[in-house]
Every structure is written in structure tokens, then in C-alpha cells.
Amino acid sequence: MLKFILKRLGSSFLVLFGASILLFVLVVNSGDPLKDLRESQSENREQLMQARINYMNLDEPWYSRYFIWLRGVAGCLRGACDLGTNRGGQQVNDLLANAASSTLRLVVLATVLAIIIGIAVGIITAIRQYSGLDYAVTLLIFLFFSLPVFWAAVLLKEYMAIGYNNWIADPTLNWTYIIIGALLAGLVVQAAMAGNAKRRLLTFAVVAGFILVIFPTLHALDFWRRPVMGPLVQLAIGLAAAVALTALIAGLKNRKVLYSALVTVAVGMVSYYATYGLLMNNPSWLLLLGLGIIAVLVGILIGRLMGGFSKGTAATASAITAVVMGVFIVMEHMTNYWPALLRAKPRPVATIGSETPGMDAHFWVEFMDKGTQLLLPTVLLTIVSVATYSRYTRSSMLEVSRQDYIRTARAKGLGERQVILKHAFRNSLIPITTIMAFDFAGLIGGAVITERVFGWKGMGELFATGLDQVDPAPVMAFFLVTGTAAVLMNLVADVLYAILDPRIRV
């Protein structure tokens, strides 16, 4: 494995080296970086031109400029990166750090959501092949995939931002929309749950009735502007997650897994009270990360200790239950400060920028501010990527389900849950892993249009500005991040092949 990794890194380095030369040559020959100054009538025009020549090394031939940049990149190996300066004299290192943090925050979240939603939709449509649900989902997926990004962004701004901001100022209850939403939700859930006509009708009635009851109740409590959760809600969410995950992963008859998940819920409730004051008193990102890691480790430990012969499955169910409870505990602390955010920012969902300039508030207020700024571009990138993941998952699941070992597993009497999750799903992940690797690097590069539409100062803005100004330093910084991401993600995909299928050796 080590030999393979080193060999791949060596070949990838050569590819990046050749591509960087080509890109550098194309950028430096795409125009005149001094054009605006040549046309200027300023008295200090000559001084400005000379300063730009010095910043960009324009008095050197292109190959000399390239090797100056390459020498600075080589310094990254010893922790002293020097990506040069842009034509205004700003250090590209600083510009890249700010741009990469904005873009990665957007791309990582969009990728995770797209993977989870896309794979889940792909599995369901593969199981329900040629059903009404399958046809409806296929229609929506191809519709989302074919949407022009800039047009979809305008729609999101109009309805998810402007429309919501107008409504949250004075929330009103529109029974027409609630009834339509309840009917649609009931139709979708009953189609996904399947079963006989009686079961479908019962599912439809329960889902539609729940929505028709819960929305007026929340409206009466003024939940939209003053949301409240509390320990009972946290307990209900934890119990629902424990039972649902056990039913999905192992079946409710496996008591070891169920008890492990329920004990995790009990520990989560103890943690809810133990960390309440800590999380209320202006916490930090490092604290949230540390608590999240501890939650996962505790869940795994409970599952391993109580799972018996199913300790692996129990550890998975307990760890995911712990993560779900942790997420909703964080959401409760966020909702406690929602009124403060509305006072500081009456129109909470922004259409431009990655954060509100000059906001100096409590940690949770700033947390929600960045989250609302992240909402629209994340939804847009997720919708685009979900189409790819769902289609590949569906086709891969259908192909695997026709294999002999799947028929053998069913003939031996294994339950459909075990056949799908333990046999079909794991092997269908192999081609999907390749898509994940390409999609992550592709989203970084493809976020250029999204960032421009939503006014994000990210990698896309850095790249576009560099091209407009015939400035190779920002463009090469963009290439360095996206190219390295593509290489590393493909390497990770190759390693995961051997983990998913031990028959594969690299």
C-alpha cells in the first residue's frame, strides 16, 4: 500500500507540474496587466507602473516568473509558503487563506449533505424501481440537474430569502399553503414507506394530520420568532433517533443494539444538563469540535461494551444517536439566541456575502449569522450534486442486486434489511466513491459561478479577479488548492476501494 501511495503521489506531482506550466503560460499571455495604467491620466502613473512591475516581476521572462512562483510553493514543504503578491502588492498567502476558508466552509457542507441525501434517495428509488415514487424522483432529479445555476440562485434569493425575510417580520398562518404542504408530505411519505393500501392510507393520514396540527400549534406559541425546545423535546428526539436507527440498521428484535442506543440517549440527557452552562457562556469552535469528538467516542464505547455479538452494529447505532443528540443540543442553544439575531439583523437570510460586516455579538448570534449566509449557496450546490449521487447510487444498487451473492443471501433466509444494507449497499459504494472524489474537487472549481451570484469572497472570486487582471499569482493559488484537492481525494478513493472490497488490492 505504501509503495502504491508513493507511486501515485509521484505521478500526480508530474501532472500538477505540467498543468501549472500550461496554466501560467495561458494567464500571462491573456492580456496586458498594465493596460489600465497606460490609459491613466494620473500624475504618478510612472511610479504606479513601476510598482506593479516590481510586484508582478514583469521585467522577467515568463519562465523566470514561473520558477520564482515554483520556488515559493516549494517552501510549503518546510512550512514557509510564499505564493507571491498580486498586482496591488497584497500577499497572496493572506488572500488565499481568507478565500479558502469561505469556499471550504461552503463546499464541505454541501458535499456532506449531497452525499447523505443523494445516497438515501438512490437506495429508496432502487428498492422501489419503476414505481410512481421512482418516476417522480427521477423527474425532479433531472430537473434539478438541468437547472442553470444562476437562474436557480435568483429563485432561491426571491423565495427563500426575500420572501422569508418579509414573512418573519410579521409571521402569518396561510391555511392554503399548510393544507397543500400536508397533502404533499403525506403523499411522499406513503409512497416511500410502501406497503398495502391500508398501510399507505394510514401513513398518509398520520403525516398529513401531524402537519395540520403542529403548524397551528407552533404559530400559537410564536415559535417562529421565539423558538423553545427544552429537555422533553431533546429526550423525544433522542428516543426517536435510537429507535429509528436500530430499526434501520439491525431491526428492533436485536435488543442489544436497541439497549445500547437507549443508554446513549440517557448519557446524552446527562450531558445536556452537564454542558448547558458551558455552551451558554460564549463557547468556541474548538470546544464544539472537542465535545463532538467525545460524543462519538462515548457512543462507540457504549456500543462496543453492550452490543455483544452485534457490537459493531451497536457501536454504529450508538455513535449516530450521539451525533443526532449533539446536533439538536447545539440547535437548542442557537434557538435561544434567535430573538437576539432578529434584533441585530431583522432580515436574517442574506442574499449577498459570507458574513455580516462588523457584527460583534455573542458566539451563537455570530454562528447563526454565518449559517444564514451559508444557507442559499449550500442549498444550490447540494441540489446540483444530489442529482449525481442519487442516479449513480440507484444504478449501482440495481446492478449489485442482480448478482449471484445477493440471490444467495436471500435464499439463505436473510432479512431484506440485511441484504440491502450489509451486502448490496456496501458493494454499490465502490463506484460512488469515485464520484465523491471528483465531486469535492469539482465543487471547489464549480463554485465560481455560485460565489459570484451570492457575492462570496471565496476561491471563485480570487480566480475570476486574477483572470480579469491578468495576474497569475491568484490564479495559480486557486490551481494549487483545487489541483491538490483533486489529487488527494482520488488517492483517498483508491485506498477506500480496498477497505470497501477486500478483494481489491492496490
Side-chain angles (χ1 to χ4, degrees):
M1 179 66 77
L2 179 60
K3 182 180 178 181
F4 166 78
I5 292 175
L6 293 176
K7 186 176 179 181
R8 281 295 303 272
L9 287 176
S11 60
S12 300
F13 172 78
L14 293 177
V15 171
L16 288 175
F17 178 70
S20 66
I21 295 177
L22 178 61
L23 181 61
F24 194 91
V25 172
L26 290 174
V27 174
V28 297
N29 288 284
S30 62
D32 181 8
L34 299 175
K35 181 179 179 181
D36 59 320
L37 294 179
R38 295 187 199 281
E39 299 171 352
S40 173
Q41 301 297 322
S42 176
E43 295 180 356
N44 62 339
R45 186 185 69 169
E46 296 300 325
Q47 290 84 348
L48 293 174
M49 291 179 65
Q50 187 58 47
R52 186 174 295 180
I53 290 172
N54 294 335
Y55 289 141
M56 300 179 64
N57 298 310
L58 295 178
D59 53 346
E60 301 281 349
W62 72 264
Y63 51 85
S64 179
R65 296 171 62 192
Y66 172 77
F67 281 109
I68 291 173
W69 174 82
L70 190 63
R71 187 165 56 248
V73 172
C76 297
L77 299 176
R78 60 178 187 274
C81 286
D82 182 11
L83 302 181
T85 57
N86 67 357
R87 72 177 195 171
Q90 296 173 290
Q91 289 292 326
V92 176
N93 285 14
D94 299 332
L95 298 175
L96 180 63
N98 295 330
S101 64
S102 295
T103 297
L104 291 178
R105 187 175 65 193
L106 169 63
V107 169
V108 169
L109 181 59
T111 302
V112 172
L113 291 175
I115 290 172
I116 295 173
I117 297 172
I119 289 179
V121 170
I123 293 174
I124 293 173
T125 52
I127 296 172
R128 305 289 314 284
Q129 185 184 17
Y130 301 138
S131 65
L133 177 67
D134 185 25
Y135 288 127
V137 170
T138 300
L139 174 64
L140 290 176
I141 289 300
F142 280 109
L143 176 64
F144 292 152
F145 187 75
S146 60
L147 281 178
V149 173
F150 57 88
W151 184 70
V154 172
L155 294 180
L156 289 177
K157 285 185 177 185
E158 177 65 28
Y159 296 105
M160 286 192 67
I162 298 174
Y164 174 80
N165 289 334
N166 293 336
W167 178 82
I168 197 64
D170 183 21
T172 56
L173 194 65
N174 190 315
W175 276 101
T176 302
Y177 291 153
I178 292 177
I179 292 172
I180 293 174
L183 295 176
L184 289 176
L187 288 173
V188 171
V189 174
Q190 65 85 22
M193 296 295 291
N196 55 37
K198 183 178 179 180
R199 179 180 175 181
R200 285 173 177 267
L201 184 61
L202 179 62
T203 302
F204 173 82
V206 170
V207 173
F210 175 78
I211 292 177
L212 289 174
V213 171
I214 194 65
F215 273 87
T217 303
L218 294 177
H219 185 75
L221 297 173
D222 196 20
F223 182 84
W224 320 119
R225 293 187 63 87
R226 296 177 180 84
V228 178
M229 295 179 69
L232 292 180
V233 175
Q234 294 292 346
L235 179 61
I237 291 171
L239 292 175
V243 173
L245 286 167
T246 303
L248 178 64
I249 297 175
L252 294 177
K253 293 182 179 179
N254 193 327
R255 299 301 182 186
K256 294 287 187 181
V257 177
L258 178 60
Y259 294 155
S260 300
L262 292 176
V263 169
T264 303
V265 174
V267 174
M269 290 306 300
V270 174
S271 303
Y272 168 78
Y273 287 103
T275 61
Y276 200 89
L278 188 64
L279 292 176
M280 286 295 290
N281 295 326
N282 227 7
S284 64
W285 290 98
L286 186 61
L287 176 62
L288 293 182
L289 178 61
L291 291 176
I293 294 173
I294 292 173
V296 173
L297 293 178
V298 169
I300 293 174
L301 180 62
I302 292 173
R304 302 292 292 184
L305 292 176
M306 299 186 59
F309 291 109
S310 302
K311 58 185 178 182
T313 304
T316 301
S318 298
I320 298 177
T321 301
V323 170
V324 171
M325 291 198 69
V327 168
F328 277 92
I329 288 173
V330 168
M331 287 182 63
E332 176 167 340
H333 289 281
M334 290 168 56
T335 58
N336 291 337
Y337 283 90
W338 179 250
L341 177 66
L342 291 180
R343 288 193 297 270
K345 187 180 174 186
R347 301 182 69 81
V349 181
T351 58
I352 296 293
S354 57
E355 59 184 275
T356 302
M359 175 169 281
D360 184 16
H362 191 276
F363 172 83
W364 290 116
V365 176
E366 293 186 3
F367 185 99
M368 287 188 291
D369 172 58
K370 293 180 180 178
T372 54
Q373 300 275 7
L374 196 64
L375 179 63
L376 297 186
T378 299
V379 169
L380 181 59
L381 290 178
T382 301
I383 287 175
V384 173
S385 295
V386 160
T388 303
Y389 286 113
S390 62
R391 289 297 88 188
Y392 273 95
T393 302
R394 180 182 181 276
S395 62
S396 183
M397 284 286 293
L398 291 175
E399 182 179 355
V400 169
S401 64
R402 300 187 184 98
Q403 300 298 316
D404 291 340
Y405 66 87
I406 298 295
R407 286 193 290 268
T408 303
R410 289 195 174 101
K412 289 169 64 177
L414 289 180
E416 194 64 17
R417 181 189 305 102
Q418 289 178 299
V419 172
I420 293 172
L421 295 180
K422 291 189 176 181
H423 296 276
F425 176 58
R426 178 168 178 171
N427 288 288
S428 68
L429 279 177
I430 294 175
I432 299 171
T433 303
T434 305
I435 304 302
M436 293 179 187
F438 281 107
D439 188 60
F440 182 78
L443 274 179
I444 297 178
V448 174
I449 298 176
T450 304
E451 289 180 2
R452 280 220 158 184
V453 173
F454 290 105
W456 274 56
K457 300 296 182 181
M459 297 289 293
E461 194 267 345
L462 185 72
F463 176 77
T465 302
L467 286 181
D468 290 341
Q469 298 178 349
V470 197
D471 189 352
V475 176
M476 298 305 292
F478 174 87
F479 167 80
L480 186 65
V481 173
T482 54
T484 303
V487 168
L488 292 180
M489 293 304 294
N490 278 280
L491 182 60
V492 170
D494 287 336
V495 174
L496 286 176
Y497 291 156
I499 297 174
L500 291 171
D501 190 348
R503 295 172 299 176
I504 298 176
R505 289 292 178 262
V506 292

